[in-house]
């Protein structure tokens, strides 16, 4: 066992490095007792830049007294060979996976530099930007226009997580996600807001624990009725009753990240733009 | 050579599967001539669900007449073994990288189910949600309050890409990104908006080609002066002159994705919350 608990981890790419970093973070999360100093080196697309990387890897090794870990997605073999002159543990995303894929598919990969950041399909990209614009224009019930083109309309009490979830759905999945608050007037009438009636099949609810909601609202408006635990409890019970009556599917956002909530929503209502 | 050009690709995870999918998309982009049918199977956290996966893999193999490709990040070995009973090319993110990491670091990974989606650190997560809220509250110059807590303030002409870039910076990197439009009045005075003077060191500019800008504006307001090529040319030249005079760093968003623009901004102004 090595009791050295601090390492430098590099994410090196000829593009943004976001793929290498996403995978790297997930893997490093499996070693919670270690401390990692993380360095992102994007757009490494020349031998000169590769030399700089190698030199930074050597510096880190000297400072830490231990070999750095390098997640890399470099396509150009000369650039890659130049970086690898520095001693480190190289976890090479392309090398590990492209070869088995090539032999399985029976075709050669294009080895296109910069394609590795995953924004290959420009139509897909345009959909995402459009979805972001749509979601912004339909945040918090701001506009009822064009709700018929929404893919989903999130409903829930104020601060139940609708806005960040809508934005994540748009940005990651290209889903046009509007959101609409359920407010005390709706609970008194025990009815959905009139504007939403004809879109009932697009509605998806978010709920949250009263304690967590009170905590979030407290940060926004300390010591208000709005933030009081009693009021939060009332609003949440009323919202859940309403959603149940209207047969709106819903989930609890309390202990879930926006990534988890968004993935669950897509799974539950078969919302997928990429033909899953 | 295999001339079968269509395959089903599965992304299977005990969490959201976003890590497997991000890596998978990047790799598949290296095979542009292939057609892939993509299936996301998240939250596979029981043997029963694993059995369903195996059955879907077998169905796809039968339909395609070819083995599916499976990107998986399953931690539980019984769940994994159950899925793997179906014949496919398995590209296992954990198996390929966790073992070399364990032996390099001299510690065992925790093999924590669901941790693989990369949202391990809740402080980091809270920062991201706060950044999203900040960015929304400071979109398009809406509010000048608390600009001193902004990490960066993007400036540029209307529709140069400020809003989606700000949101991506917030969502992916936890960066509090405000944005502020440069408008004809600013160009006439040839001065930055007064509100921005004291934040000059936080400013970062976006520019865009006049042709692309005219095209984007045309979709919003067809045949307007606002969208005309002459006006776009005038605004962009004036904005660039202003940014040059004020020594504001800037970049051209024309042929770049929000991922690329955001990564460049972080690199250029050393904006990094994770201590890179």
């Amino acid at each position: 066992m090595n009791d050295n608990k601090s390492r430098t981890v590099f994410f090196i790419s000829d593009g943004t490095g976001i793929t290498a970093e996403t995978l790297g973070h997930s893997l490093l999360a499996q070693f919670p007792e270690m401390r990692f100093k993380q360095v992102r080196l994007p757009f490494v697309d020349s031998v000169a830049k590769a030399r700089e990387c190698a030199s930074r890897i050597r510096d880190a090794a000297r400072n830490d007294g231990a070999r750095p870990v390098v997640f890399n997605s470099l396509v150009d073999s000369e650039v890659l060979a130049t970086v690898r002159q520095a001693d480190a543990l190289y976890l090479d995303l392309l090398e590990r996976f492209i070869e088995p894929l090539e032999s399985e598919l029976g075709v050669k990969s294009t080895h296109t530099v910069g394609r590795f950041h995953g924004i290959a399909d420009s139509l897909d990209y345009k959909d995402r930007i459009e979805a972001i614009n749509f979601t912004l224009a339909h945040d918090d019930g701001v506009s009822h226009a064009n709700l018929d083109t929404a893919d989903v309309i999130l409903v829930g009490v104020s601060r139940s997580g609708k806005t960040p979830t809508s934005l994540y759905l748009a940005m990651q999945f290209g889903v046009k996600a509007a959101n609409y608050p359920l407010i005390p007037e709706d609970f008194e009438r025990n009815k959905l807001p009139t504007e939403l009636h004809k879109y009932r099949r697009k509605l998806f609810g978010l709920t949250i624990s009263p304690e967590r909601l009170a905590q979030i609202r407290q940060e926004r408006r300390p010591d208000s009725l709005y933030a009081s635990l009693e009021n939060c409890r009332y609003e949440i019970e009323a919202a859940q009753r309403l959603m149940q009556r209207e047969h709106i599917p819903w989930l609890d956002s309390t202990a879930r990240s926006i990534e988890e909530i968004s993935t669950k929503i897509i799974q539950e209502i078969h919302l997928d733009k990429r033909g899953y």
Side-chain angles (χ1 to χ4, degrees), chain A:
Chain A
M1 289 290 279
N2 177 347
D3 63 13
N4 186 315
K5 295 284 184 200
S6 177
R7 293 279 185 131
T8 303
V9 178
F10 289 90
F11 305 106
I12 305 183
S13 172
D14 46 45
T16 64
I18 289 169
T19 303
E21 204 177 341
T22 303
L23 179 63
H25 283 162
S26 299
L27 289 159
L28 299 179
Q30 296 284 335
F31 298 91
E33 76 276 35
M34 295 280 302
R35 283 190 306 278
F36 299 107
K37 189 175 167 251
Q38 302 179 38
V39 183
R40 184 193 309 124
L41 300 175
F43 307 115
V44 178
D45 51 11
S46 69
V47 170
K49 289 184 193 163
R51 264 191 221 110
E52 271 178 58
C53 292
S55 138
R56 294 192 59 172
I57 295 168
R58 286 191 198 98
D59 289 349
R62 228 181 344 260
N63 290 336
D64 297 345
R67 292 210 305 177
V69 174
V70 180
F71 291 92
N72 70 283
S73 62
L74 293 165
V75 172
D76 185 277
S77 55
E78 200 185 345
V79 169
L80 179 59
T82 307
V83 171
R84 293 188 78 137
Q85 284 168 7
D87 185 34
L89 172 67
Y90 287 93
L91 300 172
D92 186 323
L93 276 57
L94 277 170
E95 184 189 62
R96 302 253 173 172
F97 293 116
I98 279 287
E99 284 172 21
L101 268 173
E102 285 181 340
S103 89
E104 176 70 28
L105 300 174
V107 289
K108 284 275 165 205
S109 74
T110 53
H111 276 69
T112 318
V113 172
R115 271 216 118 154
F116 208 69
H117 51 70
I119 310 137
D121 182 9
S122 70
L123 210 76
D124 196 55
Y125 181 70
K126 213 185 150 204
D127 279 352
R128 285 171 59 216
I129 298 295
E130 257 176 40
I132 293 169
N133 288 328
F134 180 92
T135 292
L136 277 175
H138 297 83
D139 183 37
D140 206 30
V142 171
S143 163
H144 312 147
N146 308 317
L147 272 184
D148 47 318
T149 64
D151 296 311
V152 65
I153 303 168
L154 300 185
V155 294
V157 303
S158 160
R159 296 285 131 193
S160 54
K162 300 182 299 299
T163 294
T165 302
S166 305
L167 285 169
Y168 192 82
L169 280 166
M171 196 163 273
Q172 176 77 15
F173 299 113
V175 164
K176 288 183 179 164
N179 72 76
Y180 213 96
L182 296 178
I183 58 175
E185 287 87 315
D186 302 317
F187 307 140
E188 279 156 31
R189 295 183 305 127
N190 196 21
K191 275 191 177 153
L192 283 177
T194 326
E195 301 79 14
L196 298 183
H197 280 159
K198 59 174 169 170
Y199 305 115
R200 194 167 316 193
R201 287 182 319 136
K202 293 186 179 187
L203 302 182
F204 194 97
L206 290 185
T207 192
I208 184 169
S209 81
E211 291 73 20
R212 178 76 188 117
L213 183 63
Q215 191 188 356
I216 295 171
R217 289 182 170 186
Q218 189 68 25
E219 284 173 19
R220 293 240 141 184
R221 293 202 224 152
D223 305 319
S224 60
L225 171 65
Y226 167 80
S228 72
L229 184 56
E230 302 89 298
N231 181 59
C232 290
R233 216 169 252 147
Y234 161 72
E235 286 195 25
I236 288 168
E237 279 170 19
Q240 290 186 355
R241 209 161 41 233
L242 189 55
M243 293 190 289
Q244 207 144 30
R245 220 194 57 184
E246 301 280 351
H247 305 289
I248 300 170
W250 88 73
L251 62 79
D252 186 333
S253 69
T254 310
R256 292 191 167 105
S257 67
I258 52 175
E259 284 83 350
E260 289 167 314
I261 301 166
S262 302
T263 308
K264 286 249 183 229
I265 291 173
I266 286 192
Q267 191 180 29
E268 291 208 16
I269 60 181
H270 306 288
L271 241 191
D272 221 301
K273 314 289 268 190
R274 295 198 186 104
Y276 291 90

